[in-house]
Amino acid sequence: MSSSTFFSDPRRSFQERGLVLIWALTLLVDTINGALVLNLGLPSMLSPAYKLGAMFLSLLFLAHYAPKVMAYNSAFILIVCCWALSRLWFGDSSGLFFSLQELFKAYLFFLAFSITSVMRTTSAKTIQLVVAGYLLVLLANVAASYTGVGQFSYGSYGATGFFVGGNVVSGIIVVCASWVIYNAYTKSTFRFLTTTLFFLLLALIMGTKGGILGVLLVGMLTMCFRLNAKSILLFAFLFSVSLGGLLLAWDWLTDTPIYARLVFFYEQGGISRALLSGREEKFAIIFPTLLSGGWQDWVWGLDFEKLSALSETRIELDFADMAIYFGFAITGFIYTSYLAVFLTLTRIKHKAFRAPPIIAFLLLLALGSVAGHVSFNGVITPIWGIFMGLALSSCLNAHDVHRD
């Protein structure tokens, strides 16, 4: 069946393109919001208001065009409302607003995935344009740092612009690199090498070790997905060249703030501390308090007064922080939903649409497990969800598959 037969009502096509644009602009809105907060001291209002509007429009679209998908979103919202009301009545009410805010950020992933996965006007070009837009925003933030209006993470190094924290930058770079590097690999070895080098330089300039490692892993997983003699030879070549380059550039690397930070944490507690940057100590402070609490803490999350009394209130490891803020029931529901999304991605038939989102999905979950705040970071979750959903719908549209 031709996909053109799906559009007897041109309003759906117009609405889909508008919603893709609205969701794709979240990163730009976050940048503007960051500039207003950092440079003018204004409250962080623009970005939450924009995403609430996007959420409302998306739910209206799903209710009209995709009632089955809307049913999941309704169930998610209903479960959260029941959790909030019961926590308000039986549990800790003082930390409710904060926990709801964090839950909203986590939900943005599933909503963005839901709305883009059912679209019938998307294609590989749509993904290319969205990813290109993200990269332009990242480059604009780098430029903002070097022109003096943006910030640096480490003195005069780590050009993060108006983003707060390297984890945000790492997640965005991983999403973009997964698509660009994989598609470059299918074209030629030269494109693969140049695009990988570009993302490595971008991650290095923005000063995110998670981004640097993420790009390297994207390249390795890309070769694994396209495993053949060429991949094995290329891996051997890249390993040799990288080792030689590392030896030649060792003196320069040892002068970078990232290296100094890694050495500092390593000297404090070995490899685990260098990898987790002290998060294991926060875990040892907070998580035992949760586990030793009553059933209320297990169901609704750690009592805010108990949490505030500790020397640390955030671990920055996604699963642990979710359990602390939301309780084990909601956390289990969220991770079960992640599994459902992942299994859906594995059923995509075309490897060009299947491999990049799977690579990004695995790496972002891994990043959240060691660096934290990916799964409920309001900057990353919409971008993550959009990319997963566009890959699914674009593949279905490419094969003219009709679905409700």
Side-chain angles (χ1 to χ4, degrees):
M1 183 184 295
S2 172
S3 60
S4 61
T5 61
F6 297 151
F7 300 106
S8 56
D9 182 1
R11 289 178 298 179
R12 173 163 182 170
S13 176
F14 174 77
Q15 291 171 13
E16 286 188 1
R17 290 187 170 92
L19 283 168
V20 168
L21 180 62
I22 287 171
W23 280 104
L25 287 175
T26 57
L27 187 61
L28 177 60
V29 173
D30 286 325
T31 297
I32 297 172
N33 184 79
L36 295 175
V37 172
L38 292 173
N39 292 345
L40 299 180
L42 297 178
S44 180
M45 299 294 292
L46 175 63
S47 183
Y50 182 89
K51 289 167 187 173
L52 277 173
M55 175 181 171
F56 178 73
L57 293 174
S58 298
L59 291 174
L60 287 178
F61 179 91
L62 291 174
H64 185 70
Y65 291 111
K68 292 181 181 179
V69 179
M70 181 61 188
Y72 165 79
N73 286 271
S74 299
F76 196 113
I77 294 171
L78 180 61
I79 289 171
V80 169
C81 288
C82 291
W83 167 84
L85 289 173
S86 60
R87 176 169 176 168
L88 183 64
W89 185 260
F90 295 106
D92 166 37
S93 60
S94 60
L96 178 60
F97 179 76
F98 173 79
S99 295
L100 274 175
Q101 176 182 296
E102 299 301 288
L103 256 178
F104 166 72
K105 296 175 184 177
Y107 171 61
L108 286 177
F109 166 79
F110 299 104
L111 179 60
F113 175 78
S114 296
I115 189 67
T116 50
S117 65
V118 300
M119 291 183 173
R120 296 172 177 171
T121 57
T122 57
S123 64
K125 186 176 181 180
T126 308
I127 304 176
Q128 291 168 3
L129 290 172
V130 171
V131 169
Y134 293 152
L135 287 174
L136 286 175
V137 174
L138 286 180
L139 293 173
N141 277 274
V142 171
S145 293
Y146 283 104
T147 55
V149 294
Q151 64 179 0
F152 288 90
S153 298
Y154 312 102
S156 60
Y157 176 73
T160 52
F162 303 114
F163 295 125
V164 179
N167 292 355
V168 174
V169 175
S170 299
I172 301 165
I173 288 176
V174 165
V175 168
C176 295
S178 298
W179 176 261
V180 178
I181 290 176
Y182 184 88
N183 282 275
Y185 188 84
T186 62
K187 300 294 190 302
S188 70
T189 301
F190 178 75
R191 289 191 183 185
F192 171 73
L193 294 174
T194 53
T195 53
T196 302
L197 180 61
F198 165 78
F199 279 104
L200 281 174
L201 288 174
L202 179 61
L204 186 63
I205 290 170
M206 300 192 81
T208 162
K209 62 180 184 291
I212 296 170
L213 181 59
V215 172
L216 293 173
L217 290 173
V218 167
M220 293 177 62
L221 289 173
T222 293
M223 289 187 283
C224 289
F225 268 94
R226 308 285 300 190
L227 190 61
N228 51 31
K230 170 191 169 183
S231 298
I232 295 172
L233 290 173
L234 182 59
F235 178 80
F237 170 75
L238 290 176
F239 181 80
S240 301
V241 171
S242 300
L243 184 60
L246 181 64
L247 293 174
L248 291 173
W250 184 252
D251 290 338
W252 176 79
L253 287 172
T254 54
D255 288 332
T256 62
I258 291 180
Y259 179 84
R261 182 177 174 85
L262 288 172
V263 170
F264 171 78
F265 282 118
Y266 178 80
E267 290 176 346
Q268 296 295 315
I271 294 177
S272 64
R273 187 164 174 80
L275 179 64
L276 297 173
S277 301
R279 294 179 179 91
E280 74 283 4
E281 293 183 358
K282 297 178 183 180
F283 182 90
I285 292 172
I286 302 175
F287 213 71
T289 305
L290 171 65
L291 296 179
S292 62
W295 63 271
Q296 294 96 333
D297 291 341
W298 284 57
V299 174
W300 294 301
L302 187 61
D303 183 278
F304 197 71
E305 290 186 3
K306 293 180 184 177
L307 183 62
S308 301
L310 300 175
S311 59
E312 300 287 346
T313 60
R314 182 175 297 229
I315 299 175
E316 296 184 30
L317 300 175
D318 278 355
F319 179 84
D321 279 338
M322 279 189 180
I324 290 165
Y325 296 146
F326 313 145
F328 287 104
I330 292 291
T331 301
F333 176 67
I334 290 174
Y335 274 85
T336 301
S337 300
Y338 283 145
L339 179 61
V341 171
F342 179 75
L343 293 176
T344 301
L345 296 175
T346 61
R347 291 196 292 268
I348 297 177
K349 298 185 181 299
H350 199 297
K351 188 178 288 187
F353 291 103
R354 182 176 72 248
I358 288 179
I359 291 171
F361 189 92
L362 294 174
L363 290 181
L364 284 174
L365 279 184
L367 181 64
S369 298
V370 296
H373 290 197
V374 172
S375 298
F376 52 106
N377 185 301
V379 179
I380 297 176
T381 49
I383 294 170
W384 185 14
I386 291 166
F387 184 57
M388 305 291 117
L390 286 179
L392 177 60
S393 62
S394 297
C395 184
L396 292 173
N397 294 333
H399 290 82
D400 291 330
V401 178
H402 176 67
R403 73 272 191 210
D404 293 330

